[in-house]
Amino acid sequence: MDYQAFAGSQEESKSSVQRFVTKVYGWMCAALLTTGFVSYYVVSNEALLRRIFQSPGTLMILVIAQLGLVIGLSAAINKLSTTVATAMFFLYSALTGITLSSIFLVYTHESLTSTFVITAGTFGAMSFYGYLTKKDLTSMGNLAFMGLIGIIIASVVNIFVKSTFIYTATTYIGVLVFVGLTAYDAQKIKQMARFLNPESSEEQKGAIIGALRLYLDFINLFLMLLRLLGRRR
């Protein structure tokens, strides 16, 4: 057996995985910057802000467009060109920035900043854990996904019953769910890298869909923590 060739192959595979993971997190950070920039722009434009949030129809169209984009991108990623997939990803992050701009009016800037820092630290730690651990996190991912379904159902019910207990319970559970999903998705992205052809369109689209998953984990974890830690104006 040529051990030198085997070691070289192993090192090349490890380098390929690291490049892919770096690319995924790079796309995710770019999307977060897009969301932050758009949110700041909207909240700085009083006329635009009123037009969006004083018109239920406009806000509903934006929310439906968001859902359509994230579902369409996830379901049709293999059929889309790299350019279209990338454009959809950044359009989704921009629309999220528009709909999230209202948090600047509800919470103090100090609590938004501190919650963002806590979210980034938690997200980074769980991503690091998911990337390095040898333990299979599939069961954690499945449990977190079931918890997510429960949160969605409970949140819809709470629109009508307006229960403080349900609101609080879904918030605490939501933090645990997105912490778990962050570690699970980080591990899955690392595993995905081993099956993708480097520098191919398949790898590029894999990076986009991986970035989308991490982006959703980060945004939702931030919103859940903001419910708990945010100070209202």
Side-chain angles (χ1 to χ4, degrees):
M1 183 177 189
D2 190 339
Y3 290 103
Q4 187 174 1
F6 176 75
S9 176
Q10 288 289 93
E11 189 63 31
E12 183 179 348
S13 176
K14 182 179 178 181
S15 177
S16 178
V17 169
Q18 289 175 343
R19 283 197 303 270
F20 177 76
V21 171
T22 300
K23 186 181 296 184
V24 170
Y25 279 87
W27 282 118
M28 184 209 74
C29 290
L32 287 175
L33 286 173
T34 300
T35 299
F37 174 79
V38 171
S39 288
Y40 183 78
Y41 175 78
V42 171
V43 81
S44 301
N45 189 321
E46 188 174 341
L48 181 59
L49 198 63
R50 283 201 304 268
R51 183 172 182 179
I52 293 170
F53 292 101
Q54 291 183 359
S55 172
T58 301
L59 187 58
M60 183 62 67
I61 290 171
L62 289 172
V63 171
I64 292 173
Q66 273 185 272
L67 290 173
L69 277 170
V70 74
I71 293 171
L73 182 56
S74 300
I77 186 68
N78 294 324
K79 299 178 182 179
L80 300 171
S81 68
T82 303
T83 302
V84 171
T86 304
M88 289 177 67
F89 177 53
F90 280 102
L91 179 57
Y92 176 75
S93 66
L95 289 177
T96 301
I98 294 173
T99 55
L100 284 186
S101 60
S102 61
I103 65 175
F104 286 91
L105 304 177
V106 176
Y107 297 96
T108 65
H109 290 175
E110 292 78 10
S111 66
L112 286 170
T113 301
S114 62
T115 303
F116 181 86
V117 171
I118 292 170
T119 302
T122 304
F123 180 89
M126 295 311 297
S127 292
F128 197 63
Y129 170 74
Y131 182 81
L132 293 180
T133 186
K134 303 297 182 182
K135 181 181 179 181
D136 184 359
L137 300 181
T138 301
S139 58
M140 175 191 288
N142 291 337
L143 184 62
F145 183 74
M146 287 188 289
L148 178 59
I149 297 298
I151 290 171
I152 293 172
I153 294 172
S155 297
V156 171
V157 170
N158 206 37
I159 293 175
F160 304 99
V161 301
K162 302 185 185 304
S163 167
T164 302
F165 172 77
I166 293 177
Y167 179 85
T168 304
T170 54
T171 301
Y172 279 103
I173 295 171
V175 171
L176 296 177
V177 163
F178 290 108
V179 163
L181 283 176
T182 298
Y184 171 75
D185 286 335
Q187 184 177 77
K188 286 302 177 184
I189 288 166
K190 180 182 178 181
Q191 293 170 351
M192 185 194 306
R194 300 193 178 106
F195 298 98
L196 296 175
N197 183 24
E199 304 305 324
S200 66
S201 62
E202 181 186 40
E203 188 203 47
Q204 297 295 327
K205 289 189 285 187
I208 290 295
I209 203 67
L212 176 63
R213 291 174 182 171
L214 292 174
Y215 172 87
L216 291 171
D217 292 339
F218 188 100
I219 290 293
N220 284 289
L221 179 59
F222 171 71
L223 292 175
M224 291 296 174
L225 286 172
L226 193 60
R227 286 187 184 184
L228 296 175
L229 306 175
R231 293 197 307 275
R232 293 179 178 269
R233 291 179 178 275

